[in-house]
Amino acid sequence: MRRLLAVLLENEAGALSRVIGLFAQRNYNIESLTVAPTEDPTLSRLTLLTEGDDEKIEQVTKHLNRLIEVVKVNDLTDGAHIERELMLIKIRAEGNGHREEIYRTCRIFRGDVVDVTPDSYTVQLTGPTKKLYAFMRAIGETSILEVVRTGVSGIGRGDKILEL
Amino acid sequence: MTEMLSGGEILIRALQDEGVEHIFGYPGGAALHIYDALFKQQRVEHILVRHEQAATHMADGYARATGNPGVVLVTSGPGATNAITGIATAYMDSIPMIVISAQVPHDVIGTDAFQETDMIGISRPIVKHSFIVRSASEIPWLVKQAFYISTTGRPGPIVIDVPKDTTDPNELFEYSYPKSVSLRSYKPALKGHTGQIRKAAVAMLKAKRPVIYAGGGVVQGGAEEELVKVARLTGFPITNTLMGLGSFPGDDPQFLGMLGMHGTYESNNAMHHSDLIIAVGARFDDRVTNNPVKFCPGATIIHIDVDPASISKVIPADIPIVGPAKPVLTELHAALEAELEKHPIDQSSLDEWWRRIQLWRDEHGLDHDQRSRKSESGQLLPQQVIQAVYRETNGDAFVTSDVGQHQMFAAQYYRFSKGRQWINSGGLGTMGFGLPAAMGVQFAVPDATVVCITGEGSFMMNMQELSTCMQYALPIKVVNLNNQALGMVKQWQDMQYGGRYSHSTYSDALPDFEQLIESFGHCSFTARSIDELDAVVEEAFSPALKDKLVFINAYVDPDEHVYPMFVRGGSLEDMVLSKGSA
């Protein structure tokens, strides 16, 4: 089962390596990982996408909590939540017809063209992972030159917040 | 007036303020500022070892004997890497330890400088936490945190990596030691959940075939008395893990002996047929459960542990209780007393349960007097040696061991009566642990009788410390069960590999132990028969040799196996009981 964990972590050198080390050491899987400081500069927030049944996720959560620098762990997939990922994608766009087609598709997906050359567009697209895949399918493999994705960030819906 | 100290002095001063009396260490380039600070003071005694691994085992033995963290000081690079095995040993057995590793100066970190190694990176998976010092001014706070984290919750080793520039004698800082520590990200449980404890008490009083399964958490948590009280109140049978031995009196009829791979017939059977297991400070290690799928099929599991991550890790717990053993058992005892008024113990079921256990015990229990037993070859038996040492020390010594057959024989036949009396590397299984651990114990408890039960294979892994023993006049009694082979490896090769002794023998390449020991200024005896053994053991522990390190080289039957032994992949009741019975 796909799980999205939100982790508040002391914003200290070496803290992230302990989280990653734990996953390697205990044979847990990391699908994607995003991390950056929060509004409180002493805290970083991680969003970690992993895979596992309830028992496994319980163990992952417990072991994360055991790390001294981990302040809080929350399984976002337990409740309603929002997931977003940002993708920068460089697309071959040659000849008027093709360029227009790419641009139209981009607008349908609410992407922004952030860089242009005579032969390519670089598009910025935000959304749930599924939407990014859908866009890539719509563009077609042969037109995609380069893809970079941030990995998933997530936040709970409603008034509930992850705090100390 | 504020004191101005250098980083090296601040470090030593902080250790003093933490109450540290002994540091086990070895100097080297990056550590020299710290060593100079050590030289200028008397409050902390530094013990110079011969190898950093031994320093960590000494600190470990010291910690296991006292409950206070052992402190290690090593230099960067090889000093740090040599400490790794000892740190991992302490980590696996949840032993509080502070390892101070010197590091190359900040400005050359990352340049592959001489004796540089990424100690924080290398030690990461085997420490409870680690720190790297950025400035001398933060040393007091880091030391304070290190001791707090190491000794609370589930204890464990902490590494403090100290770049040489932060200990510069020419840079002075104001010194003050923090009085208290609180970390927003680290809040270990201080007591158990009252509702869960009551639930456990009710389940216990309904049980028909209960077993208390107590491990190292009881010893580390200083909860032996509370454990005995719960056991006495209920009259339930009790078994110990390898790490828990001594938490309940070993010669008490209520005690079933150790459980697990080489546990007693009665304790493994009682576990397997139990309807309620009360696990306290134990973690369902694979050497205890055998095949987890077949583990105790009819049992409800109460699991008390200070580390939530240990609960339901291997065996799902029905009634989990997160908390330190001592307050949880105290509260459990009170809850049992309160519940007893409403639900008396099912005494007839319990009596019937004890009758079954007694049958198992009569059938295949351990024989605690094997003096008259003869081996096929007529040679001394390892069990006889342990039993002779047990008698001679009145069961009262601190006993350390290495890893292998001798360790299991010691665990089975030296019937420990107190927590902290039995000191061995249970989780990591570190050969070479026994002698330095005994040294650490002797430093902690100078007047105690400290015995290291070892085998010649393990002993040779850290025997350089005989020199340290000479330097500090440590009167350890080393009992070497010499079977001229890697006994446990050989036993497995006998049982599972058709007797093909692949690289487990070296009988024609062993040293003359008598000469070896005497060359370090110690005393050595050899025993080949039961009569020789009696005489040698008596002399070794005699008042005349009270202040000497004595090495007993007991030649034992190399073909003797440790039994019972698990049948691989089986349940707890599947045991091999003797050669040829599999």
Side-chain angles (χ1 to χ4, degrees), chain B residues 395-420:
Chain B
D396 213 23
F398 282 93
V399 177
T400 72
S401 89
D402 276 290
V403 171
Q405 285 185 320
H406 68 270
Q407 177 190 25
M408 292 300 118
F409 288 130
Q412 289 177 332
Y413 293 101
Y414 197 107
R415 289 180 282 167
F416 300 96
S417 54
K418 297 187 299 279
R420 307 200 174 282

mmCIF file of all heavy atoms in Angstrom, chain B residues 395-420:
data_model
loop_
_atom_site.group_PDB
_atom_site.id
_atom_site.type_symbol
_atom_site.label_atom_id
_atom_site.label_comp_id
_atom_site.label_asym_id
_atom_site.label_seq_id
_atom_site.Cartn_x
_atom_site.Cartn_y
_atom_site.Cartn_z
ATOM 1 N N GLY B 395 28.473 -18.868 43.895
ATOM 2 C CA GLY B 395 27.476 -18.311 42.969
ATOM 3 C C GLY B 395 27.394 -16.795 43.031
ATOM 4 O O GLY B 395 26.413 -16.197 42.602
ATOM 5 N N ASP B 396 28.438 -16.170 43.525
ATOM 6 C CA ASP B 396 28.361 -14.767 43.895
ATOM 7 C C ASP B 396 29.239 -13.847 43.050
ATOM 8 O O ASP B 396 29.256 -12.642 43.248
ATOM 9 C CB ASP B 396 28.814 -14.671 45.350
ATOM 10 C CG ASP B 396 28.083 -13.573 46.081
ATOM 11 O OD1 ASP B 396 26.976 -13.220 45.625
ATOM 12 O OD2 ASP B 396 28.644 -13.057 47.062
ATOM 13 N N ALA B 397 29.994 -14.424 42.130
ATOM 14 C CA ALA B 397 30.965 -13.622 41.374
ATOM 15 C C ALA B 397 30.272 -12.841 40.255
ATOM 16 O O ALA B 397 29.174 -13.197 39.819
ATOM 17 C CB ALA B 397 32.032 -14.531 40.786
ATOM 18 N N PHE B 398 30.927 -11.784 39.792
ATOM 19 C CA PHE B 398 30.582 -11.210 38.500
ATOM 20 C C PHE B 398 31.195 -12.126 37.447
ATOM 21 O O PHE B 398 32.384 -12.436 37.533
ATOM 22 C CB PHE B 398 31.186 -9.808 38.344
ATOM 23 C CG PHE B 398 30.437 -8.738 39.085
ATOM 24 C CD1 PHE B 398 30.807 -8.379 40.380
ATOM 25 C CD2 PHE B 398 29.378 -8.079 38.490
ATOM 26 C CE1 PHE B 398 30.118 -7.378 41.065
ATOM 27 C CE2 PHE B 398 28.685 -7.079 39.160
ATOM 28 C CZ PHE B 398 29.056 -6.725 40.453
ATOM 29 N N VAL B 399 30.403 -12.549 36.498
ATOM 30 C CA VAL B 399 30.913 -13.462 35.479
ATOM 31 C C VAL B 399 30.749 -12.803 34.109
ATOM 32 O O VAL B 399 29.636 -12.436 33.720
ATOM 33 C CB VAL B 399 30.154 -14.800 35.498
ATOM 34 C CG1 VAL B 399 30.655 -15.712 34.388
ATOM 35 C CG2 VAL B 399 30.319 -15.484 36.853
ATOM 36 N N THR B 400 31.857 -12.638 33.408
ATOM 37 C CA THR B 400 31.753 -12.194 32.016
ATOM 38 C C THR B 400 32.046 -13.401 31.133
ATOM 39 O O THR B 400 32.646 -14.371 31.582
ATOM 40 C CB THR B 400 32.760 -11.082 31.677
ATOM 41 O OG1 THR B 400 34.074 -11.645 31.611
ATOM 42 C CG2 THR B 400 32.729 -9.978 32.713
ATOM 43 N N SER B 401 31.607 -13.330 29.891
ATOM 44 C CA SER B 401 31.955 -14.426 28.997
ATOM 45 C C SER B 401 32.236 -13.876 27.615
ATOM 46 O O SER B 401 31.924 -12.721 27.299
ATOM 47 C CB SER B 401 30.834 -15.462 28.922
ATOM 48 O OG SER B 401 29.927 -15.129 27.900
ATOM 49 N N ASP B 402 32.831 -14.721 26.821
ATOM 50 C CA ASP B 402 32.977 -14.422 25.403
ATOM 51 C C ASP B 402 31.804 -15.054 24.677
ATOM 52 O O ASP B 402 30.717 -15.144 25.248
ATOM 53 C CB ASP B 402 34.347 -14.921 24.922
ATOM 54 C CG ASP B 402 35.412 -13.875 25.219
ATOM 55 O OD1 ASP B 402 35.372 -12.838 24.560
ATOM 56 O OD2 ASP B 402 36.247 -14.096 26.104
ATOM 57 N N VAL B 403 32.030 -15.518 23.467
ATOM 58 C CA VAL B 403 30.899 -16.012 22.688
ATOM 59 C C VAL B 403 31.195 -17.397 22.143
ATOM 60 O O VAL B 403 32.258 -17.627 21.554
ATOM 61 C CB VAL B 403 30.565 -15.036 21.541
ATOM 62 C CG1 VAL B 403 29.541 -15.626 20.597
ATOM 63 C CG2 VAL B 403 30.031 -13.739 22.134
ATOM 64 N N GLY B 404 30.265 -18.300 22.373
ATOM 65 C CA GLY B 404 30.420 -19.660 21.881
ATOM 66 C C GLY B 404 29.898 -20.656 22.899
ATOM 67 O O GLY B 404 29.059 -20.307 23.732
ATOM 68 N N GLN B 405 30.402 -21.886 22.811
ATOM 69 C CA GLN B 405 29.917 -22.936 23.703
ATOM 70 C C GLN B 405 30.108 -22.571 25.175
ATOM 71 O O GLN B 405 29.213 -22.768 25.996
ATOM 72 C CB GLN B 405 30.658 -24.245 23.405
ATOM 73 C CG GLN B 405 30.204 -24.932 22.135
ATOM 74 C CD GLN B 405 30.891 -26.273 21.970
ATOM 75 O OE1 GLN B 405 32.078 -26.418 22.255
ATOM 76 N NE2 GLN B 405 30.153 -27.274 21.519
ATOM 77 N N HIS B 406 31.280 -22.030 25.499
ATOM 78 C CA HIS B 406 31.548 -21.721 26.912
ATOM 79 C C HIS B 406 30.520 -20.724 27.465
ATOM 80 O O HIS B 406 30.142 -20.790 28.622
ATOM 81 C CB HIS B 406 32.966 -21.144 27.063
ATOM 82 C CG HIS B 406 33.117 -19.795 26.451
ATOM 83 N ND1 HIS B 406 33.497 -19.598 25.152
ATOM 84 C CD2 HIS B 406 32.852 -18.573 26.955
ATOM 85 C CE1 HIS B 406 33.497 -18.305 24.890
ATOM 86 N NE2 HIS B 406 33.112 -17.662 25.954
ATOM 87 N N GLN B 407 30.079 -19.827 26.585
ATOM 88 C CA GLN B 407 29.091 -18.812 26.983
ATOM 89 C C GLN B 407 27.772 -19.494 27.365
ATOM 90 O O GLN B 407 27.149 -19.177 28.369
ATOM 91 C CB GLN B 407 28.878 -17.856 25.805
ATOM 92 C CG GLN B 407 27.842 -16.779 25.994
ATOM 93 C CD GLN B 407 27.539 -16.051 24.678
ATOM 94 O OE1 GLN B 407 27.723 -16.613 23.585
ATOM 95 N NE2 GLN B 407 27.103 -14.813 24.767
ATOM 96 N N MET B 408 27.382 -20.460 26.534
ATOM 97 C CA MET B 408 26.119 -21.161 26.793
ATOM 98 C C MET B 408 26.234 -22.046 28.033
ATOM 99 O O MET B 408 25.313 -22.128 28.838
ATOM 100 C CB MET B 408 25.722 -21.992 25.565
ATOM 101 C CG MET B 408 25.335 -21.137 24.377
ATOM 102 S SD MET B 408 23.919 -20.059 24.756
ATOM 103 C CE MET B 408 24.647 -18.456 24.531
ATOM 104 N N PHE B 409 27.386 -22.708 28.184
ATOM 105 C CA PHE B 409 27.568 -23.526 29.395
ATOM 106 C C PHE B 409 27.507 -22.648 30.642
ATOM 107 O O PHE B 409 26.906 -23.014 31.657
ATOM 108 C CB PHE B 409 28.903 -24.287 29.340
ATOM 109 C CG PHE B 409 28.906 -25.422 28.351
ATOM 110 C CD1 PHE B 409 29.924 -25.556 27.414
ATOM 111 C CD2 PHE B 409 27.900 -26.379 28.370
ATOM 112 C CE1 PHE B 409 29.928 -26.607 26.502
ATOM 113 C CE2 PHE B 409 27.898 -27.441 27.455
ATOM 114 C CZ PHE B 409 28.920 -27.552 26.520
ATOM 115 N N ALA B 410 28.139 -21.476 30.567
ATOM 116 C CA ALA B 410 28.116 -20.564 31.716
ATOM 117 C C ALA B 410 26.683 -20.120 32.005
ATOM 118 O O ALA B 410 26.237 -20.093 33.153
ATOM 119 C CB ALA B 410 29.010 -19.356 31.449
ATOM 120 N N ALA B 411 25.946 -19.786 30.933
ATOM 121 C CA ALA B 411 24.563 -19.323 31.102
ATOM 122 C C ALA B 411 23.686 -20.422 31.705
ATOM 123 O O ALA B 411 22.796 -20.156 32.507
ATOM 124 C CB ALA B 411 23.996 -18.877 29.756
ATOM 125 N N GLN B 412 23.973 -21.674 31.324
ATOM 126 C CA GLN B 412 23.143 -22.777 31.805
ATOM 127 C C GLN B 412 23.490 -23.188 33.243
ATOM 128 O O GLN B 412 22.608 -23.524 34.023
ATOM 129 C CB GLN B 412 23.324 -23.999 30.892
ATOM 130 C CG GLN B 412 22.705 -23.839 29.515
ATOM 131 C CD GLN B 412 22.980 -25.037 28.616
ATOM 132 O OE1 GLN B 412 23.999 -25.729 28.758
ATOM 133 N NE2 GLN B 412 22.087 -25.300 27.679
ATOM 134 N N TYR B 413 24.795 -23.170 33.568
ATOM 135 C CA TYR B 413 25.201 -23.839 34.811
ATOM 136 C C TYR B 413 25.679 -22.919 35.922
ATOM 137 O O TYR B 413 25.842 -23.344 37.051
ATOM 138 C CB TYR B 413 26.267 -24.907 34.511
ATOM 139 C CG TYR B 413 25.679 -26.036 33.700
ATOM 140 C CD1 TYR B 413 25.879 -26.127 32.327
ATOM 141 C CD2 TYR B 413 24.861 -26.990 34.301
ATOM 142 C CE1 TYR B 413 25.309 -27.142 31.577
ATOM 143 C CE2 TYR B 413 24.281 -28.004 33.567
ATOM 144 C CZ TYR B 413 24.511 -28.074 32.194
ATOM 145 O OH TYR B 413 23.920 -29.077 31.469
ATOM 146 N N TYR B 414 25.971 -21.660 35.605
ATOM 147 C CA TYR B 414 26.288 -20.738 36.692
ATOM 148 C C TYR B 414 24.970 -20.070 37.035
ATOM 149 O O TYR B 414 24.475 -19.231 36.297
ATOM 150 C CB TYR B 414 27.327 -19.701 36.276
ATOM 151 C CG TYR B 414 27.973 -19.011 37.468
ATOM 152 C CD1 TYR B 414 29.280 -19.297 37.844
ATOM 153 C CD2 TYR B 414 27.265 -18.100 38.238
ATOM 154 C CE1 TYR B 414 29.876 -18.684 38.936
ATOM 155 C CE2 TYR B 414 27.847 -17.494 39.339
ATOM 156 C CZ TYR B 414 29.148 -17.779 39.682
ATOM 157 O OH TYR B 414 29.735 -17.178 40.782
ATOM 158 N N ARG B 415 24.391 -20.467 38.147
ATOM 159 C CA ARG B 415 23.020 -20.013 38.405
ATOM 160 C C ARG B 415 23.050 -18.633 39.083
ATOM 161 O O ARG B 415 23.220 -18.536 40.296
ATOM 162 C CB ARG B 415 22.298 -21.069 39.218
ATOM 163 C CG ARG B 415 22.028 -22.291 38.332
ATOM 164 C CD ARG B 415 21.310 -23.380 39.041
ATOM 165 N NE ARG B 415 22.189 -24.149 39.899
ATOM 166 C CZ ARG B 415 21.757 -25.005 40.811
ATOM 167 N NH1 ARG B 415 20.457 -25.183 40.989
ATOM 168 N NH2 ARG B 415 22.611 -25.681 41.538
ATOM 169 N N PHE B 416 22.879 -17.620 38.262
ATOM 170 C CA PHE B 416 23.021 -16.242 38.728
ATOM 171 C C PHE B 416 21.871 -15.868 39.647
ATOM 172 O O PHE B 416 20.729 -16.267 39.415
ATOM 173 C CB PHE B 416 23.087 -15.298 37.526
ATOM 174 C CG PHE B 416 24.247 -15.615 36.633
ATOM 175 C CD1 PHE B 416 24.083 -16.423 35.507
ATOM 176 C CD2 PHE B 416 25.514 -15.166 36.950
ATOM 177 C CE1 PHE B 416 25.159 -16.760 34.709
ATOM 178 C CE2 PHE B 416 26.597 -15.495 36.156
ATOM 179 C CZ PHE B 416 26.423 -16.298 35.031
ATOM 180 N N SER B 417 22.204 -15.113 40.678
ATOM 181 C CA SER B 417 21.160 -14.758 41.642
ATOM 182 C C SER B 417 20.848 -13.275 41.641
ATOM 183 O O SER B 417 19.842 -12.865 42.200
ATOM 184 C CB SER B 417 21.580 -15.206 43.044
ATOM 185 O OG SER B 417 22.850 -14.661 43.344
ATOM 186 N N LYS B 418 21.718 -12.471 41.010
ATOM 187 C CA LYS B 418 21.484 -11.020 41.020
ATOM 188 C C LYS B 418 21.627 -10.453 39.603
ATOM 189 O O LYS B 418 22.429 -10.947 38.808
ATOM 190 C CB LYS B 418 22.524 -10.321 41.911
ATOM 191 C CG LYS B 418 22.461 -10.712 43.378
ATOM 192 C CD LYS B 418 23.388 -9.856 44.226
ATOM 193 C CE LYS B 418 24.845 -9.970 43.864
ATOM 194 N NZ LYS B 418 25.535 -11.130 44.420
ATOM 195 N N GLY B 419 20.879 -9.407 39.343
ATOM 196 C CA GLY B 419 21.051 -8.694 38.082
ATOM 197 C C GLY B 419 22.457 -8.103 38.034
ATOM 198 O O GLY B 419 23.070 -7.868 39.072
ATOM 199 N N ARG B 420 22.975 -7.882 36.845
ATOM 200 C CA ARG B 420 24.302 -7.289 36.587
ATOM 201 C C ARG B 420 25.455 -8.229 36.905
ATOM 202 O O ARG B 420 26.619 -7.879 36.727
ATOM 203 C CB ARG B 420 24.503 -5.972 37.363
ATOM 204 C CG ARG B 420 23.406 -4.966 37.139
ATOM 205 C CD ARG B 420 23.805 -3.551 37.488
ATOM 206 N NE ARG B 420 22.753 -2.608 37.111
ATOM 207 C CZ ARG B 420 22.557 -2.208 35.868
ATOM 208 N NH1 ARG B 420 23.340 -2.623 34.898
ATOM 209 N NH2 ARG B 420 21.559 -1.395 35.574
#
